[in-house]
Amino acid sequence: MDHGSDAKNPDYEAIIIGAGVCGIYQLHRLLDLGVSTTVLEAGADLGGTWFWNRYPGARFDSESITYGYSFSRELLQEWDWKERFSGQPENLRYLNVVAEKFDLRKHMQFNCNVESAHFDDDATLWRLHLEDGRDLTCRFLIPAIGLLSAPTLPRYEGLDSFAGQSFHTYNWPQEPVDFAGKRVAVIGTGATGVQVIGAIADQVGDLTVFQRRPNWCAPLHNAEISAEEMAEIKTRYDEIFAICARTPGGFIHEPDRRPFFEVPREERVAMWEKLYGEPGFGIWLANFRDIFMDEEANAEFSEFIADKIRSRVDDPALAEKLIPKDHGFGVQRVPMETRYYEAYNRDNVHLVDLQETPIERITTNGIRTTEREHEFDIIVYATGFDAITGAYDRIDIRGVGGQSLRDKWADGPRTFLGLQVSGFPNMIMPTGPQSGSASTNFPRGIEIGVDWATDLLQYMWAHDYVREEATPEAEAEWGAHVAKLYGIMLMRKAQGWFTGYNSNVEGHEQGTIRYLVYNGGTPKFRARITEVADTDYAGIEFA
Ligand code: NAP
């Protein structure tokens, strides 16, 4: 490719980074409009989250029937979900079918790591440098780089000295891992660890779980979807997506808005029993709204769940270790589980409580805690992600005057609507930090973000604009709004990725809260960004 491209003639009008759920839909929208575009994907193939996370038990906690793209009726009618909560292989197959159907693959470039993206203000274009040595230019940069795509390993000494197999769940090997008879360690008990543990407990020789802080988990209740059920679901897609559109999380679960303490206790408990026995996030998201904001309400409900854990784990002392004491139910992301608590009733499953015996280092043979060395054949790091901003930090993105995005966001992201960054013209983030998609059923959130991004581009082309940039004032106002919403949520006190906590990333260890997600819910987010679009993009300046 000729790299002498100039302002009038960039290599592409738009470059999308990432061929996951978001990048795929964004590409489809742009191709439909005849825009010159390409997708640069770091992985060896498309799929994003569903390409990378191949660990046993990986599946969504969103109802499958709410997870597919809603933009094509034909696609909805053609695709049959096989399980209520579909697993990774099937999800990856779905995304491949979508790419095939809309002929997207030929516009994607794989194994393309974008090292840097610098805005050239004189030429009004973005200059990208790739790891393979190439330079590319585009007018518009569209990062579709995911929310949980920058995996983080613990900062223990000796990680490389381990003689057995070890990997982060995100970088799970492409070929199946043979667990039979093996001594396996899992470090981490977030949504990922909980899925892995439930899935492999009866496959391994011996499993030791290294838990630093327990999470509040609830049963997923997965099941197959019969052909008859699927046929019936296909008649209801309009209704299903209409429900998702009006709920805060973009799920089919609607919160109970009655004041917690005005509902008699027996009625509250009866409702919780029902929700605990039902599939999916209902126990979290169809619960009383008050549990997210009122300490007393949250404590009462948390005790209900604590009793459920006690009833499922045979050893009472072990059950207590699995019950969180530092935060209430639902203020961190609730892991949905399948036979997770029952796994601890097996003779071959052991828990090491890292609050009692912290890990000192990884050794050639395994893991040494302050108590002793544990020997393993396989170590699984289910230790999470540098969430939401991590993927941005890993690219050297520079805006006007060479300002680095990493520096700008050093204390937490600053955005307008989670879609724009002041000082970074012509960069549109369909799922950026502080956008609605960060805290919702992802496909529902990204469709809103991608449609808004595409509308903005069409508006610019219609007006012959070549440059757009959010104003600092609009950005400050949005930042204050996002921060204010955190202020009313108990979440602000928790140490989870919603607040940007990660012990494995320098500067993210604890203390200062990072306002990473928008907590106002999908309907309010959609209303606000639509209002901006309808008022000739108030808050954005064009040239
Ligand atoms: P996570 O929720 O951040 O959990 C990471 C776990 O690793 C925590 O238990 C953490 O303990 C532990 N940990 C981290 N560093 C450690 C260290 N140095 N030593 C010991 N323990 C350490 O990450 P995740 O489980 O990968 O989940 C991230 C998000 O991905 C989820 O919240 C969810 O949004 C998404 N996800 C979705 C699904 C689904 O849809 N079904 C499945 C999996 C993941 P602390 O709590 O003490 O920090």
Side-chain angles (χ1 to χ4, degrees):
M1 184 157 297
D2 171 24
H3 306 311
S5 52
D6 63 17
K8 289 204 180 71
N9 193 23
D11 295 323
Y12 298 95
E13 181 70 0
I15 288 182
I16 301 163
I17 310 179
V21 175
C22 180
I24 288 172
Y25 179 47
Q26 183 66 74
L27 176 64
H28 171 61
R29 286 294 321 264
L30 293 183
L31 291 176
D32 251 11
L33 295 169
V35 177
S36 130
T37 184
T38 190
V39 175
L40 306 177
E41 165 57 53
D45 208 346
L46 63 83
T49 285
W50 302 113
F51 172 80
W52 293 102
N53 288 284
R54 291 163 190 255
Y55 61 84
R59 62 180 64 254
F60 19 88
D61 292 339
S62 307
E63 280 72 12
S64 306
I65 61 170
T66 70
Y67 194 92
Y69 293 110
S70 72
F71 66 83
S72 161
R73 280 178 186 271
E74 211 177 83
L75 174 65
L76 287 167
Q77 293 306 314
E78 285 169 6
W79 178 262
D80 292 328
W81 293 107
K82 302 207 174 59
E83 292 177 273
R84 274 182 196 158
F85 304 93
S86 183
Q88 177 272 333
E90 189 67 354
N91 305 343
L92 186 57
R93 195 171 78 78
Y94 171 72
L95 294 176
N96 274 280
V97 165
V98 175
E100 184 82 12
K101 179 173 173 64
F102 297 101
D103 203 14
L104 305 177
R105 185 175 275 280
K106 64 177 184 240
H107 302 280
M108 298 174 175
Q109 307 182 44
F110 301 115
N111 299 306
C112 272
N113 228 333
V114 179
E115 286 187 340
S116 65
H118 294 181
F119 186 67
D120 177 340
D121 215 354
D122 297 327
T124 321
L125 44 78
W126 283 92
R127 297 186 182 279
L128 276 60
H129 181 71
L130 311 189
E131 196 181 45
D132 62 17
R134 286 185 298 156
D135 294 300
L136 294 174
T137 57
C138 59
R139 181 84 63 212
F140 296 101
L141 180 67
I142 308 183
I145 50 184
L147 307 172
L148 298 156
S149 49
T152 46
L153 287 166
R155 294 188 282 187
Y156 295 128
E157 267 179 55
L159 249 63
D160 292 335
S161 64
F162 180 59
Q165 258 190 306
S166 67
F167 28 79
H168 190 285
T169 45
Y170 185 80
N171 299 116
W172 199 268
Q174 301 270 328
E175 58 288 348
V177 176
D178 179 15
F179 284 114
K182 299 276 168 57
R183 299 162 304 171
V184 181
V186 174
I187 303 181
T189 50
T192 303
V194 163
Q195 285 188 330
V196 178
I197 293 160
I200 66 172
D202 62 358
Q203 293 177 21
V204 302
D206 216 58
L207 174 64
T208 306
V209 177
F210 290 82
Q211 170 189 275
R212 193 164 60 186
R213 292 181 312 136
N215 269 293
W216 294 102
C217 312
L220 180 66
H221 297 303
N222 188 26
E224 288 182 7
I225 297 178
S226 68
E228 298 75 48
E229 275 176 286
M230 199 58 227
E232 188 272 331
I233 286 161
K234 285 181 185 175
T235 66
R236 285 195 293 118
Y237 268 127
D238 283 347
E239 183 197 328
I240 291 166
F241 290 126
I243 298 173
C244 294
R246 69 170 183 253
T247 63
F251 291 96
I252 51 170
H253 309 288
E254 300 202 50
D256 194 321
R257 295 177 190 280
R258 291 176 297 170
F260 185 95
F261 290 107
E262 282 180 21
V263 177
R265 163 126 178 118
E266 312 78 70
E267 207 180 308
R268 295 201 289 265
V269 173
M271 172 179 146
W272 294 336
E273 287 291 356
K274 181 167 170 293
L275 289 174
Y276 197 80
E278 288 177 351
F281 274 143
I283 190 73
W284 187 27
L285 303 178
N287 215 313
F288 296 98
R289 252 179 108 245
D290 285 348
I291 67 159
F292 296 103
M293 288 167 270
D294 181 318
E295 215 118 25
E296 213 183 317
N298 183 285
E300 185 186 312
F301 177 62
S302 298
E303 198 46 37
F304 170 86
I305 297 288
D307 281 342
K308 288 290 179 202
I309 298 172
R310 289 179 187 115
S311 73
R312 290 174 60 187
V313 178
D314 295 344
D315 174 350
L318 182 54
E320 288 313 310
K321 289 186 180 178
L322 294 168
I323 297 172
K325 305 289 188 298
D326 68 329
H327 67 283
F329 183 95
V331 305
Q332 293 183 185
R333 166 42 159 101
V334 175
M336 302 305 290
E337 46 83 21
T338 304
R339 297 184 302 278
Y340 174 64
Y341 291 111
E342 286 71 18
Y344 292 99
N345 297 334
R346 299 176 59 90
D347 291 339
N348 69 331
V349 177
H350 325 280
L351 183 81
V352 174
D353 184 341
L354 296 180
Q355 297 186 26
E356 291 172 0
T357 55
I359 292 176
E360 282 187 341
R361 61 166 296 140
I362 308 299
T363 64
T364 312
N365 297 323
I367 298 173
R368 193 164 75 215
T369 67
T370 48
E371 185 204 18
R372 69 179 177 92
E373 184 178 39
H374 300 256
E375 295 193 356
F376 296 110
D377 303 305
I378 300 172
I379 299 177
V380 175
Y381 294 102
T383 44
F385 299 87
D386 185 356
I388 305 201
T389 47
Y392 289 85
D393 286 348
R394 290 180 184 193
I395 303 174
D396 174 22
I397 300 176
R398 287 173 196 264
V400 175
Q403 184 190 13
S404 139
L405 188 65
R406 204 179 290 151
D407 290 347
K408 173 163 176 154
W409 287 0
D411 297 326
R414 282 148 57 198
T415 75
F416 177 46
L417 309 174
L419 304 161
Q420 296 275 285
V421 185
S422 179
F424 294 78
N426 292 4
M427 180 174 87
I428 313 178
M429 311 175 294
T431 67
Q434 306 186 334
S435 75
S437 62
S439 51
T440 59
N441 189 6
F442 194 59
R444 302 286 63 78
I446 67 100
E447 283 187 344
I448 296 169
V450 165
D451 288 344
W452 189 91
T454 312
D455 287 350
L456 172 63
L457 291 171
Q458 285 186 277
Y459 176 87
M460 291 183 68
W461 294 321
H463 290 79
D464 279 334
Y465 293 137
V466 291
R467 188 186 194 279
E468 59 83 22
E469 184 186 349
T471 65
E473 295 76 28
E475 184 176 87
E477 199 183 315
W478 183 252
H481 176 57
V482 169
K484 192 171 162 203
L485 290 171
Y486 268 86
I488 55 176
M489 312 287 290
L490 294 175
M491 171 204 294
R492 70 187 182 278
K493 299 183 177 174
Q495 284 192 339
W497 64 262
F498 286 162
T499 49
Y501 164 79
N502 186 323
S503 69
N504 310 312
V505 180
E506 206 178 327
H508 293 224
E509 290 93 341
Q510 58 191 217
T512 40
I513 180 168
R514 281 160 198 272
Y515 300 112
L516 295 184
V517 300
Y518 171 76
N519 288 307
T522 304
K524 286 201 179 111
F525 181 71
R526 198 181 44 241
R528 178 73 185 107
I529 68 172
T530 306
E531 182 193 355
V532 169
D534 290 348
T535 49
D536 284 326
Y537 297 92
I540 297 175
E541 282 173 351
F542 296 94

